[in-house]
């Protein structure tokens, strides 16, 4: 029998079935895999986390890794979209070593455990719901080869002969702070201070997975996690809580502790619109929050009610107005293709967008997933079982189940929503009014320069429907500098002026920036390039002489010397 130190455990986040235009929404492993890894490490196990979200591009690495690492246990973090990736990797693992134990965990197996264990013999166990203690206890059983004790473990499902057994669900972990801090062992950007959501949205699996009661890490635990990760080089975070702002006093406590520790971090959060007020936004901005995403879902009150959002139009408008006012980018999530969707409800959404003026928007087609109320309704309506997941599909789109909706309609709805948002966006930018507080001037400058960069170099720079992107960016960079010196604004404005061939003005802006931010070499490099464009090669050389040598800088210097001969 292997000892703990001899056992090798791999935790894998597998690839999705379908390729994406952008991997942004699938490349990040769920935070739970890091908590489970930390629990195993804390108990002396040799564990490694593999982010294999794109390993299917190099499938030979799967075999090479298993042959090299010789794992005894492989745990998979399985959603719904990546379950086929997990199955395929597990099949490869079993071919290489039939004795390796395969464990599926996450939201997918929590709701499809019977289906998975019935149809895929390579899966030995499923961990259901919260996995830290369930997985640890399962590993101990496997280590001792104590199959008789499996039925006494909580929160698992397994195959016993020809039958599939599910054990009693364990109680929710409390307090959450007793869990080992994963930042001691791993590096990641997506963090969470809570588990659970009080909402009952019909499209979301969170209520059934976590329960509707919210549990909290202490502010000390959470901020210490941020500090550990910052010291490892992570400066931007995604607070991935379903509703970070659920408890006002606790949010203020977290923000004040970030400031007390002088952590120069930036972060994005998710919240409900009915939790917003000026005090909480003020402290969040001071503590580094740059973006809040709100689930709006639809401009149609009828559809919002059907999705059980339980939010009013007045609350939506207030949240977006205040968030922008405090220099935080307010982003809206919308869902289209819902029951009863038509051109009238799409227009309702466009009308609401015009009113709330979001500076970012994400539009999703309504999906049906196991564990959601809408999926349960679909099964009742159709009489279909979970066997539908034997198809090589990631999801079921609601419109596919509704004869009143067609694929062509849905594509047209999405095109209409995105086009209208992008066409209205310049007007939203013009309407920005920031709160007048002297201690927020630096933060307002940061907000405006970040927003400018999305138009000059970021996501919006590539969107054809947005008019006058360079002019919008220039205006925002200039407005940023009216609030406070900002190196991003100096550089962005200097580059735009270069592109407009306003080289003399560009030099003035860039050199002013370089005097205020001497550590920013890009300002000097750009100033040097502007001097070269004016034929001022000696001045360009002075700029380049202050910059760390590189092949590019050396080429600039040589060109200046050649021109001066």
């Amino acid at each position: 029998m292997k000892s703990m130190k001899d056992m090798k455990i791999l935790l894998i986040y597998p690839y999705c079935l379908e390729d994406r235009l952008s991997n942004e929404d699938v490349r990040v492993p769920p935070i739970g895999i890091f908590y489970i890894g930390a629990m195993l490490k804390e108990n002396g196990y040799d564990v490694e986390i593999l982010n294999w979200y794109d390993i299917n591009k190099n499938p030979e690495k799967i075999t090479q890794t298993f042959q090299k690492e010789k794992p005894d246990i492989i745990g998979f973090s399985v959603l719904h979209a990546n379950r086929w990736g997990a199955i395929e990797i597990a099949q490869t693992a079993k071919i290489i070593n039939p004795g390796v134990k395969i464990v599926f965990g996450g939201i997918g197996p929590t709701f499809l455990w019977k289906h998975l264990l019935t149809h895929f013999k390579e899966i030995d166990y499923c961990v259901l719901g919260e996995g830290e203690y369930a997985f640890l206890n399962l590993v101990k059983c496997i280590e001792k080869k104590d199959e008789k004790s499996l039925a006494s473990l909580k929160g698992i499902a397994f195959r016993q002969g020809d039958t599939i057994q599910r054990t009693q669900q364990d109680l929710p972990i409390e307090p959450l702070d007793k869990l080992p801090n994963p930042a001691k062992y791993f590096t990641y950007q997506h963090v969470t201070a809570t588990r659970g959501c009080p909402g009952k949205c019909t499209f979301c699996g969170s209520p059934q997975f976590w329960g509707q009661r919210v549990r909290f890490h202490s502010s000390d635990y959470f901020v210490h996690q941020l500090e550990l990760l910052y010291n490892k080089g992570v400066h931007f975070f995604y607070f991935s809580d379903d509703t970070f702002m659920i408890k006002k006093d606790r949010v203020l406590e977290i923000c004040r502790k970030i400031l007390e520790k002088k952590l120069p971090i930036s972060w994005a959060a998710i919240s409900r619109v009915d939790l917003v007020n000026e005090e909480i936004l003020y402290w969040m901005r001071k503590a580094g929050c740059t973006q809040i995403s709100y689930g709006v879902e639809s401009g149609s009150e009828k559809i919002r009610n059907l999705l059980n959002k339980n939010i009013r139009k007045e609350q939506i408008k207030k949240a977006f107005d205040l968030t922008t006012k405090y220099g935080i980018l307010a982003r809206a999530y919308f869902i289209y293709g819902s029951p009863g969707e038509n051109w009238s409800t799409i227009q309702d959404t466009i009308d609401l967008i015009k009113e709330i003026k979001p500076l970012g928007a994400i539009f999703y087609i309504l999906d049906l997933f196991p564990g959601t109320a809408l999926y349960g309704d679909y099964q009742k309506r159709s009489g279909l079982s979970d066997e539908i997941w034997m198809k090589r599909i990631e999801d079921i789109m609601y419109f596919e189940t509704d004869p009143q909706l067609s694929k062509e309609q849905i594509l047209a709805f999405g095109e209409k929503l995105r086009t209208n948002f992008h066409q209205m966006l310049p007007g939203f930018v013009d309407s920005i009014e920031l709160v007048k507080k002297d201690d927020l001037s630096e933060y307002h400058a940061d907000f405006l320069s970040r927003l400018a960069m999305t138009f000059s170099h970021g996501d919006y720079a590539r969107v054809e429907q947005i008019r006058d992107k360079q002019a919008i960016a220039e205006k925002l960079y200039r407005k940023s500098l009216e609030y406070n010196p900002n190196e991003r604004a100096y550089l962005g404005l200097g580059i735009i002026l270069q592109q407009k061939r306003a080289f003399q003005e560009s030099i003035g802006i860039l050199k002013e920036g370089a005097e205020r931010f001497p550590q920013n070499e890009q300002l000097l490099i750009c100033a040097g390039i502007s001097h070269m464009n004016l034929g001022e090669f000696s001045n360009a050389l002075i700029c380049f002489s202050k910059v760390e040598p590189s092949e590019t800088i050396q080429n600039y210097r040589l060109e200046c010397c050649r021109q001066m001969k």
Side-chain angles (χ1 to χ4, degrees):
M1 183 189 304
K2 287 190 177 183
S3 69
M4 285 190 286
K5 290 184 179 179
D6 292 331
M7 285 190 74
K8 179 69 179 184
I9 302 170
L10 297 180
L11 300 178
I12 296 175
Y13 175 60
Y15 55 88
C16 292
L17 187 62
E18 299 169 5
D19 288 334
R20 265 72 175 167
L21 292 174
S22 168
N23 284 326
E24 187 176 347
D25 62 335
V26 295
R27 69 185 178 191
V28 179
I31 183 66
I33 200 171
F34 296 108
Y35 274 90
I36 288 171
M39 177 66 81
L40 294 171
K41 280 186 173 288
E42 201 89 343
N43 283 270
Y45 289 99
D46 179 5
V47 60
E48 184 178 350
I49 293 175
L50 301 176
N51 184 1
W52 277 3
Y53 78 93
D54 61 351
I55 197 72
N56 53 323
K57 307 256 188 324
N58 298 286
E60 68 279 359
K61 289 187 179 179
I62 299 172
T63 300
Q64 291 168 2
T65 301
F66 290 155
Q67 289 174 337
K68 178 185 175 185
E69 298 295 338
K70 298 179 171 58
D72 300 282
I73 301 171
I74 305 176
F76 289 88
S77 178
V78 184
L79 310 173
H80 294 294
N82 68 353
R83 74 186 186 286
W84 280 105
I87 291 164
E88 289 167 358
I89 295 170
Q91 289 168 343
T92 300
K94 284 286 191 179
I95 291 169
I96 294 169
N97 176 15
V100 66
K101 298 301 181 184
I102 302 294
V103 186
F104 275 26
I107 196 165
T110 295
F111 299 121
L112 288 178
W113 56 273
K114 193 170 186 179
H115 166 81
L116 291 167
L117 288 168
T118 298
H119 294 288
F120 302 99
K121 302 303 180 185
E122 47 277 337
I123 305 171
D124 296 300
Y125 311 97
C126 288
V127 170
L128 315 178
E130 248 173 348
E132 289 87 356
Y133 287 105
F135 194 86
L136 173 65
N137 293 330
L138 177 59
V139 167
K140 288 178 178 178
C141 261
I142 294 170
E143 180 191 4
K144 296 173 184 175
K145 298 185 178 178
D146 183 14
E147 292 189 9
K148 292 181 181 177
S149 298
L150 286 173
S152 66
L153 302 183
K154 293 183 177 179
I156 68 166
F158 59 96
R159 204 179 291 102
Q160 194 167 54
D162 293 331
T163 64
I164 294 168
Q165 305 290 325
R166 174 181 175 163
T167 67
Q168 180 183 351
Q169 198 64 30
D170 205 352
L171 294 172
I173 296 170
E174 292 191 89
L176 287 179
D177 281 9
K178 74 179 182 179
L179 293 170
N181 193 329
K184 289 169 58 179
Y185 303 103
F186 306 106
T187 304
Y188 47 91
Q189 277 185 291
H190 289 244
V191 294
T192 180
T194 62
R195 291 186 179 184
C197 178
K200 298 179 182 177
C201 301
T202 57
F203 56 85
C204 181
S206 180
Q208 199 169 330
F209 187 85
W210 295 115
Q212 287 179 258
R213 187 169 63 85
V214 181
R215 289 167 288 144
F216 301 87
H217 277 300
S218 68
S219 58
D220 285 333
Y221 180 104
F222 183 66
V223 175
H224 181 52
Q225 185 173 164
L226 298 177
E227 187 174 24
L228 289 172
L229 292 167
Y230 175 79
N231 290 334
K232 292 181 178 185
V234 182
H235 297 166
F236 183 83
F237 295 90
Y238 297 91
F239 289 14
S240 300
D241 308 67
D242 288 326
T243 308
F244 176 71
M245 296 160 69
I246 187 71
K247 199 173 181 181
K248 174 187 168 184
D249 290 346
R250 189 178 152 284
V251 174
L252 298 183
E253 195 174 271
I254 287 171
C255 292
R256 286 167 180 152
K257 284 181 177 174
I258 290 172
L259 292 167
E260 285 168 13
K261 287 182 175 286
K262 295 181 169 59
L263 286 177
I265 61 172
S266 300
W267 46 279
I270 303 168
S271 187
R272 286 179 59 90
V273 296
D274 53 2
L275 298 172
V276 176
N277 63 50
E278 295 202 45
E279 183 182 15
I280 204 168
L281 290 171
Y282 170 81
W283 284 103
M284 285 175 68
R285 187 65 191 100
K286 292 278 281 188
C289 181
T290 59
Q291 175 181 285
I292 303 174
S293 298
Y294 298 104
V296 177
E297 318 315 353
S298 176
S300 163
E301 186 176 0
K302 180 180 177 181
I303 288 181
R304 288 201 305 273
N305 290 339
L306 186 144
L307 298 176
N308 211 20
K309 279 302 294 184
N310 195 28
I311 54 174
R312 301 189 309 277
K313 183 178 180 180
E314 297 73 25
Q315 293 171 322
I316 301 170
K317 290 173 65 177
K318 176 186 173 185
F320 278 80
D321 178 57
L322 289 179
T323 303
T324 302
K325 184 178 172 182
Y326 276 84
I328 300 172
L329 192 145
R331 185 168 74 164
Y333 290 138
F334 291 102
I335 292 173
Y336 62 100
S338 297
E341 193 83 86
N342 54 44
W343 283 111
S344 176
T345 60
I346 292 296
Q347 188 59 50
D348 289 339
T349 298
I350 292 169
D351 292 342
L352 181 62
I353 291 171
K354 189 173 184 179
E355 284 191 68
I356 65 175
K357 301 177 175 63
L359 295 173
I362 307 291
F363 300 93
Y364 295 103
I365 301 173
L366 180 61
D367 282 327
L368 305 181
F369 290 114
T372 65
L374 282 176
Y375 179 73
D377 292 342
Y378 161 68
Q379 285 189 305
K380 289 175 186 174
R381 284 188 289 110
S382 66
L384 294 175
S385 70
D386 289 336
E387 296 303 290
I388 193 171
W389 299 105
M390 286 300 292
K391 295 181 180 179
R392 289 182 65 83
I393 57 174
E394 286 192 0
D395 52 19
I396 301 167
M397 293 186 177
Y398 172 77
F399 76 84
E400 296 170 333
T401 75
D402 188 335
Q404 302 301 313
L405 294 169
S406 68
K407 183 177 181 179
E408 291 71 28
Q409 272 184 304
I410 296 301
L411 292 174
F413 290 162
E415 179 67 20
K416 178 80 170 175
L417 288 166
R418 292 182 181 90
T419 298
N420 273 263
F421 167 68
H422 287 136
Q423 289 176 345
M424 291 188 284
L425 189 56
F428 299 164
V429 172
D430 284 341
S431 71
I432 292 173
E433 291 186 13
L434 300 174
V435 66
K436 294 178 181 177
K437 287 182 180 286
D438 290 342
D439 63 338
L440 289 181
S441 292
E442 179 184 350
Y443 300 91
H444 289 347
D446 175 77
F447 164 69
L448 293 166
S449 68
R450 284 177 186 273
L451 183 58
M453 196 165 66
T454 66
F455 288 95
S456 62
H457 296 84
D459 291 342
Y460 294 149
R462 297 183 287 275
V463 179
E464 291 182 8
Q465 293 99 328
I466 301 175
R467 303 181 311 277
D468 304 322
K469 292 182 280 289
Q470 191 181 66
I472 294 169
E474 180 178 350
K475 185 176 180 179
L476 287 167
Y477 284 132
R478 290 187 185 278
K479 196 171 180 182
S480 169
L481 292 173
E482 290 174 11
Y483 277 99
N484 206 70
N486 179 277
E487 56 187 308
R488 188 187 299 111
Y490 280 120
L491 183 60
L493 180 56
I495 290 172
I496 286 175
L497 291 170
Q498 268 185 358
Q499 293 168 344
K500 293 171 68 175
R501 305 193 67 78
F503 296 117
Q504 203 64 57
E505 187 181 359
S506 169
I507 290 167
I509 288 290
L510 291 164
K511 287 195 170 180
E512 181 183 332
E515 287 172 8
R516 292 182 179 276
F517 302 99
Q519 78 287 355
N520 190 322
E521 293 187 343
Q522 288 298 315
L523 292 164
L524 286 167
I525 294 170
C526 287
I529 292 170
S530 285
H531 277 300
M532 289 178 71
N533 275 282
L534 290 173
E536 299 171 351
F537 297 105
S538 59
N539 288 334
L541 269 178
I542 293 171
C543 291
F544 297 139
S545 69
K546 299 176 183 178
V547 175
E548 194 72 27
S550 68
E551 184 178 346
T552 301
I553 296 303
Q554 184 62 19
N555 289 336
Y556 284 142
R557 289 176 179 171
L558 289 172
E559 179 61 19
C560 288
C561 292
R562 190 179 71 81
Q563 292 289 343
M564 291 167 64
K565 285 181 180 178

